Amino acid sequence: MAGPTGRRPAGRPCPEPYARPGSGPIRVAGGLVVLVGPPASGKSSFVRALVVRRQIDEDAVVSSDEIRAELFGTSSAEAGTDAADAVVFGERDRRVAARLGAGRTALAESTNVTPQARTRLIALAGRLDAPVTMLRFTPDLATLLEQHAGRSRTDVTTADIHASAADMARYAGADRLRSEGAHAVHDVPGRRQGVTPAEAAARFSFT
């Protein structure tokens, strides 16, 4: 971590943003795993690859989008209200707490690009004495927009993509995530690095 001058202390190399192919998988400790990235950044594809590869149990994934669809459907106007958000994220927290309280890993799948979105998750993990790992998804804006165009999501607009990408750049740097309480922060490679979701999943090992 950088010192007070902004320079990294001597003898402590800057961590690599991605694991080198062939260097062995990055080990992710059991506990709370928080995905951090704008819509269309590849989070869901990465999670599906983890499940297909049996690296994590499907029940470990707590997705705010899936909870919203489960509780409100996919086309209900009510689903996008502040009241719905409160219900969705309250249920997400309940499910995460149940997993962590049982000593199991919980993977929180939502954008989490702002400090406010992450604070409640970090506090929840702290109360249950669970380590927090954050996985960052950082495609450039052009890649985000291209991937968004290939999806069938009508609840997310191009303006949403721009705003979320700006929040990611402003509020979700690796050092900031560590300062908020993350025990480990790793970047997940994607299309910009020529890496498929399955290849990205293979670079991680969940304990």
Side-chain angles (χ1 to χ4, degrees):
M1 184 175 296
T5 63
R7 296 182 179 179
R8 198 165 295 276
R12 295 182 61 186
C14 179
E16 294 183 89
Y18 304 107
R20 289 176 178 171
S23 63
I26 296 170
R27 297 181 67 84
V28 177
L32 176 62
V33 181
V34 180
L35 304 189
V36 182
S41 58
K43 300 184 299 299
S44 296
S45 297
F46 175 74
V47 169
R48 284 195 296 271
L50 291 177
V51 172
V52 167
R53 291 172 53 86
R54 298 184 180 178
Q55 292 173 252
I56 60 170
D57 183 66
E58 188 173 8
D59 291 340
V61 181
V62 184
S63 165
S64 59
D65 283 345
E66 290 184 4
I67 293 172
R68 192 180 304 275
E70 177 185 327
L71 297 179
F72 298 99
T74 57
S75 60
S76 169
E78 183 185 6
T81 65
D82 290 342
D85 284 347
V87 172
V88 167
F89 288 104
E91 177 61 15
R92 179 202 64 177
D93 291 355
R94 187 193 68 77
R95 295 184 189 187
V96 167
R99 296 272 316 174
L100 298 181
R104 298 176 178 177
T105 291
L107 191 153
E109 184 190 351
S110 49
T111 57
N112 299 311
V113 295
T114 64
Q116 295 84 355
R118 299 185 294 264
T119 294
R120 59 195 291 168
L121 286 168
I122 294 169
L124 180 58
R127 290 196 296 272
L128 295 168
D129 197 27
V132 179
T133 299
M134 296 202 183
L135 302 182
R136 299 172 70 245
F137 294 74
T138 60
D140 57 31
L141 182 58
T143 301
L144 282 173
L145 293 173
E146 181 181 351
Q147 293 181 165
H148 173 62
R151 305 194 309 171
S152 58
R153 294 283 297 269
T154 59
D155 58 324
V156 178
T157 66
T158 299
D160 293 331
I161 300 292
H162 279 267
S164 191
D167 284 340
M168 180 78 185
R170 188 176 298 117
Y171 301 120
D175 285 345
R176 172 147 193 170
L177 298 183
R178 293 187 189 96
S179 73
E180 291 176 0
H183 296 79
V185 179
H186 304 292
D187 284 0
V188 179
R191 181 181 298 182
R192 187 169 61 169
Q193 293 78 31
V195 176
T196 68
E199 290 169 340
R203 298 191 184 191
F204 293 86
S205 171
F206 293 77
T207 60

